[in-house]
Amino acid sequence: MGIVAALVMLSFGLGVVTLAVGGEGTEMGMGRGGSSTGPPPAQRPDVTVTPSPIRHIFALYPPATDSENSSKALRFTHLVVDKSTGRVYAGAVNKLLQLDAGLRIEETAVTGPLKDSPQCHASGCDSPVIPTTLMDNVNKVLVIDPESRTLIACGSLKQGACEKYKMANISLQPEFIPTSIAANDEVASTYAFIGPEHYNPWGRSNVLYVGTTFTNNGEYRDDVPAISSRNLYNLEYAELSFSKQSIVRIDVKYRDHFLVKYVYGFNASEFAYFVIVQKQSPLPGQEELGYVSRLARTCINDANYDSYTEVTLQCLVRDPTSPGSMVNYNLIQDAKVTEAGADLAAGLGIKTADHVLVGVFGPSRGITNEPQPRSAVCVYSLQDIEAKFNENIHMCFNGSIKYRNMDYISGLILDGKCPMAGVSRKMV
C-alpha cells in the first residue's frame, strides 16, 4: 500500500509538495517523493514485515513478588533516558520511577494523590472556602536537564506546577516551583523539550520550550500561554519585558473551542518546532472541515515569537477499495526526529545521517479528533521541511499572498497580514 507524505502551505490552497513515502500496517513502500502535480513517486517493491510476539518480559512493575501492589495497574505517561549513565526515568500517575541501565528499580518518588482543586493557585490553597478533594496527579512533563543533572517533572495537580529532582536519587526532596506550566487535567496535552535560545547577543543558553493545551479548568488558566520558552532556573519566561515576551497565546475569542494538541517538539538548526493537531478552522461555523496536523516553527533568536508560523503535514494513503483515490491520515499520533539510514536517505534523496521527522498518523472518525484503529508511518526530511517554511515566508514577502492565515494567534505582527511587497521586515 503506497503512502505519500506531504507538507502543504499555511492553508492558502496552493499545491502540495510530496516529500516522502512510507507504509501502513505490515507493509512499507519506500521511494523518493515528487510534485503532486506530476507523476506519482516511483515505488520500490513492498517490504513485508512479519510482527513477532513478545518472547520475554524484561522488567515488570510492580514486581510480581510485591503481593500488595502487583495487582494494581500503574499507568505510565513518559519515559526518558539519561545518555551519560543509561538510567531510565518513568513518569506515571502518582509516581516516578528511577531505573538502572538494566531496568532494575533504584528509587521511586510518590507524587500523588494529593488534596487539590482547580480553583487553587499553584502554590496551594490558603482559603478555607475552597473545597479540596483527593486527586490523582498525572505526569504531564518529564524532561532531563543534563547540565544541572536534574529531572523536571510536571503533573496535572497544582495548576500544572513542576518539581526538579536530583537525577542521582529522585527519592530526595525535590525543588517545587509554584508556576502554572502544564495542563491541569488528565486529558489535555502538554509537551516540553530543552533547546537553545539566542535571544541576546551577549549570551546563549538552553531553555524549556513548552506547548500546553488550554483548559478552562479554573480561573488561573488564563495565565498559561499556548507555547512558551522558559529559563531552566525557575521556569519563568525566558524573556519578559514591555516589548518582548517569549510566549504564543491563542486569541481569547477562539481558545475555548480551538484546542491545540501538542504531540511532539524538537530543535533543528536555528529553529524550535512543535508538532500539533488542531481544527482546520477556528471559526465556530466551520467545524465540518475537521482536524489537521501541523508543524509550528519559531526562530531561536526571536524573543517575541514574531517569526512563529505553521505548515500543514499530510500523510496520504492509497485507498485499496478505490483505485486512484487517496485517504488522508490527518491525525498525527506521535513523532520522532532521527537520522536517516542509507536506504531511507537514498529513497528521500538526502544524505545518510541527515535528519528526518518520522510521524505515525491515523485517519479521523468523521470530523472529530478521534483516530480510527488504523495507522500509517510517514517520513519527512528536515531539509524539505525548512525549504517549505522558507517558501511560505518568501511568498508572504513578495506579495503572492496577503495573509498568514493564523487569526487564532494573538498579537501577530501586522495583525497577521503579510508585509507589502518589497518591504523589509524581520520574520526569521
Side-chain angles (χ1 to χ4, degrees):
M1 180 177 297
I3 291 185
V4 178
L7 293 174
V8 299
M9 306 301 291
L10 298 175
S11 70
F12 301 121
L14 302 178
V16 174
V17 176
T18 301
L19 297 180
V21 297
E24 179 189 24
T26 59
E27 297 181 339
M28 183 164 66
M30 303 292 291
R32 181 177 178 178
S35 172
S36 65
T37 57
Q43 297 289 310
R44 289 173 53 185
D46 287 343
V47 178
T48 301
V49 180
T50 303
S52 59
I54 296 176
R55 299 180 183 275
H56 304 285
I57 296 177
F58 194 74
L60 180 66
Y61 188 88
T65 55
D66 186 350
S67 58
E68 180 180 350
N69 296 309
S70 59
S71 61
K72 298 179 181 178
L74 190 64
R75 185 158 57 86
F76 292 91
T77 58
H78 294 96
L79 192 73
V80 293
V81 179
D82 180 10
K83 295 180 180 178
S84 64
T85 65
R87 281 194 176 109
V88 177
Y89 301 87
V93 178
N94 299 327
K95 190 163 289 189
L96 300 177
L97 300 182
Q98 174 183 320
L99 303 97
D100 65 16
L103 298 185
R104 292 174 290 270
I105 295 173
E106 290 185 330
E107 305 291 346
T108 62
V110 176
T111 60
L114 301 172
K115 282 193 172 183
D116 194 29
S117 166
Q119 305 306 320
C120 295
H121 186 267
S123 59
C125 263
D126 295 329
S127 174
V129 301
I130 299 178
T132 59
T133 57
L134 203 62
M135 303 174 68
D136 285 335
N137 195 6
V138 180
N139 176 248
K140 310 292 284 189
V141 169
L142 194 67
V143 176
I144 288 175
D145 180 5
E147 292 186 2
S148 65
R149 303 300 300 162
T150 57
L151 182 71
I152 301 172
C154 315
S156 57
L157 299 186
K158 298 184 178 180
Q159 298 297 341
C162 303
E163 293 178 310
K164 296 169 76 173
Y165 293 83
K166 295 185 183 299
M167 292 179 62
N169 187 347
I170 65 169
S171 68
L172 299 178
Q173 183 68 28
E175 176 190 357
F176 176 67
I177 300 175
T179 301
S180 303
I181 294 177
N184 68 337
D185 68 17
E186 182 177 350
V187 297
S189 73
T190 304
Y191 194 91
F193 66 96
I194 291 177
E197 60 84 6
H198 299 168
Y199 295 159
N200 300 300
W202 56 84
R204 299 182 176 187
S205 64
N206 286 331
V207 294
L208 185 71
Y209 291 94
V210 186
T212 305
T213 301
F214 177 74
T215 70
N216 196 11
N217 193 19
E219 61 185 40
Y220 294 104
R221 301 315 295 176
D222 293 345
D223 300 330
V224 183
I227 294 177
S228 62
S229 46
R230 299 173 178 270
N231 72 67
L232 293 174
Y233 175 67
N234 59 10
L235 302 186
E236 295 295 337
Y237 299 137
E239 189 76 27
L240 182 61
S241 65
F242 178 76
S243 59
K244 295 179 181 179
Q245 296 183 2
S246 56
I247 60 175
V248 172
R249 294 188 185 275
I250 304 296
D251 194 291
V252 65
K253 64 178 175 286
Y254 298 123
R255 69 182 181 189
D256 283 343
H257 62 270
F258 188 74
L259 301 178
V260 180
K261 179 181 179 181
Y262 296 89
V263 177
Y264 182 61
F266 62 96
N267 161 252
S269 67
E270 299 299 308
F271 306 100
Y273 295 87
F274 278 96
V275 177
I276 59 180
V277 175
Q278 62 192 38
K279 289 180 179 178
Q280 192 149 316
S281 171
L283 301 178
Q286 296 186 353
E287 287 91 349
E288 71 277 2
L289 296 177
Y291 285 79
V292 65
S293 297
R294 282 191 159 182
L295 192 59
R297 189 185 82 166
T298 187
C299 301
I300 62 174
N301 62 358
D302 176 12
N304 202 46
Y305 279 76
D306 289 334
S307 60
Y308 180 87
T309 189
E310 300 171 359
V311 297
T312 297
L313 293 171
Q314 281 192 344
C315 186
L316 304 176
V317 180
R318 290 188 177 89
D319 188 350
T321 64
S322 179
S325 63
M326 308 290 283
V327 178
N328 184 11
Y329 280 48
N330 58 316
L331 301 179
I332 191 166
Q333 302 299 297
D334 207 348
K336 179 70 175 178
V337 168
T338 187
E339 294 181 354
D343 289 346
L344 179 59
L348 295 177
I350 58 178
K351 297 178 182 178
T352 300
D354 278 0
H355 285 89
V356 294
L357 175 66
V358 182
V360 179
F361 294 77
S364 62
R365 296 182 185 272
I367 61 173
T368 74
N369 62 349
E370 293 294 324
Q372 299 179 36
R374 291 182 284 159
S375 62
V377 174
C378 280
V379 181
Y380 313 82
S381 82
L382 293 196
Q383 187 179 102
D384 287 337
I385 285 173
E386 188 167 332
K388 175 51 65 176
F389 271 104
N390 290 338
E391 180 185 337
N392 285 359
I393 292 169
H394 292 156
M395 291 181 68
C396 196
F397 273 85
N398 66 20
S400 299
I401 53 177
K402 295 182 178 181
Y403 295 95
R404 297 170 67 185
N405 283 0
M406 293 187 296
D407 294 343
Y408 43 85
I409 300 297
S410 177
L412 279 176
I413 57 173
L414 298 179
D415 293 326
K417 298 177 182 178
C418 290
M420 292 179 62
V423 175
S424 175
R425 186 176 180 93
K426 184 177 179 182
M427 294 274 290
V428 294

